[in-house]
Amino acid sequence: MAIPPVSLALASIVAAIGLALPAAPRINARPAPASTADDSTLIAYTVDSVRVVQRLSPSTDVVAVNMYLLGGARQLTAATQGIEAMWLTASKYGTRSHPDSTQRTAWALTGSFFESDLTSDWTMFGFRAVRDEFDKSWDLVAERIAQPTFPAAGVSTARERLQASLKVQRESPDGEIASVADSVAFAGHPYGLSPYGSEQSLAGIDSTVLAGYVRAHAIRSRLLIVVVGNATRAQVEAAIRRNLSALPVGTYRWTPPAPIPVRATSLTLIPRRSATNYVIGVFNGPPETHEDFPSFSTATALLGSMITDAVREKRGLSYAASASVSERAVVTGTLYVSTPKPDTVVRIIQAQIRTITDPDSLPAGFAFTSDKNSLQFLFRRSTSAVQADALAHAEILQGDYRLAVNVPRRLRSVTSSSVRRAAAAYMKNIQFIYAGDTTLVKRSTFTPVRR
């Protein structure tokens, strides 16, 4: 397998998108300022207690803005699941300056793209615009955070849309098993609550409940603003003072959620009549700040490649087989497969895990997988929008936006022995969820992998 061409391509992409690769910092520590001293385009500052990370790109006409409300699932209870999804959705039906349909009309006239993201760690309101529409687009989106009016008709429409989406998910085998997987893997943890809510919780959220929640939770200490593109610092500071400085400061402080308690391997069965059967396996991983994370990420990507090859390509036992790493503050790895022969496939997956942890049989492809991960990271960071995502991800989950540029370097630092150690340390105590014909599986098949 030829590795050099991939490495050369990696260097070319680094140069093309202007990402510096400074010396890797000590894990869990902020890098020395000198490591990014030459990147004068990347700055961070605070405006009226609102944290801002900004990459200045005057050579482009595009600007990407992400406004994060931090906290995610930890802001929720069983009764308020989905309340920030309702906020995000219902706010487009009216704000103080643009009531009812005038909000949507004004937004359409900007020609900008509204972006949003609901995760277990944050809710994001954002937009992608050309430079000339920055101020108008900012004002309209910021008003949805700071000044939503939640007219009854708009809230009802938002609720119906969110409930319809949940119903579609519940009726889909993939959607159902994914939802159950989170509730099982994160039982007793905030991540066990859904940021999209349930049909029952959404039914109890009306205009009054929403307005009360916004008064309590729309605070400046929860906000992180990330701006990438052709907007000046002065523009951003003025925009924050126009729309967000009147919000209460509050006392919120981001800290990582508690890790998931280690539990023995388990199997949850969901009897279901369908054309195929579905298996998800969730296992704990190290935080992104941990020195094991690059090796864990590479080991999981390698496992995904091996599962695809062994299950789908060689045996034709699945149309979808994979392994992936979650991008959340509490990191997990996830196995996924759909198959008519679940018992056979799970045994194959167990064998692939044993192969990765065996010092005599680790595939040589781990080095290729590491470079491939670096390439994929850089491709995903080649636009203003995804650079904004990367900066926010590093600032929130790793504690320093400057660490965003070190991801490829960390991924390339892995060795065969570190991949093996990470696989042995983390690919165990797997929480399995199975949806399908329960007569086709034996619980003994899902027992812990023997080393």
Side-chain angles (χ1 to χ4, degrees), residues 390-411:
L391 291 169
H393 193 101
E395 177 72 4
I396 300 168
L397 302 187
Q398 299 184 63
D400 193 330
Y401 64 94
R402 293 171 294 182
L403 295 177
V405 300
N406 286 317
V407 172
R409 187 179 189 89
R410 291 184 71 197
L411 288 171

Side-chain angles (χ1 to χ4, degrees), residues 354-433:
R354 287 194 294 273
T355 297
I356 293 178
T357 58
D358 185 345
D360 297 321
S361 60
L362 179 67
F366 85 90
F368 177 79
T369 300
S370 179
D371 266 350
K372 182 180 178 182
N373 282 352
S374 299
L375 278 167
Q376 289 175 338
F377 171 85
L378 291 170
F379 275 127
R380 292 197 302 268
R381 291 345 184 224
S382 59
T383 68
S384 296
V386 290
Q387 286 183 44
D389 290 336
L391 291 169
H393 193 101
E395 177 72 4
I396 300 168
L397 302 187
Q398 299 184 63
D400 193 330
Y401 64 94
R402 293 171 294 182
L403 295 177
V405 300
N406 286 317
V407 172
R409 187 179 189 89
R410 291 184 71 197
L411 288 171
R412 294 198 307 272
S413 72
V414 302
T415 64
S416 59
S417 59
S418 70
V419 167
R420 212 164 36 240
R421 285 195 304 271
Y426 300 103
M427 291 180 183
K428 58 186 181 181
N429 301 314
I430 301 174
Q431 309 302 303
F432 285 104
I433 298 89

Side-chain angles (χ1 to χ4, degrees), residues 116-173:
S116 63
D117 189 23
L118 275 164
T119 77
S120 297
D121 297 311
W122 58 70
T123 296
M124 189 274 283
F125 295 70
F127 66 90
R128 314 293 176 246
V130 295
R131 176 183 55 188
D132 292 344
E133 296 296 332
F134 171 81
D135 287 328
K136 292 178 184 176
S137 301
W138 175 291
D139 290 349
L140 289 166
V141 173
E143 284 177 2
R144 291 177 61 173
I145 296 175
Q147 300 177 339
T149 54
F150 301 127
V155 171
S156 178
T157 300
R159 182 188 302 109
E160 288 172 1
R161 290 185 176 182
L162 290 169
Q163 288 180 328
S165 179
L166 290 173
K167 182 178 180 182
V168 170
Q169 177 182 344
R170 188 180 65 249
E171 292 174 349
S172 158

Side-chain angles (χ1 to χ4, degrees), residues 210-227:
L210 274 170
Y213 184 88
V214 170
R215 283 194 299 272
H217 293 274
I219 55 178
R220 282 177 273 161
S221 52
R222 276 191 70 194
L223 280 170
L224 169 68
I225 308 295
V226 181
V227 181

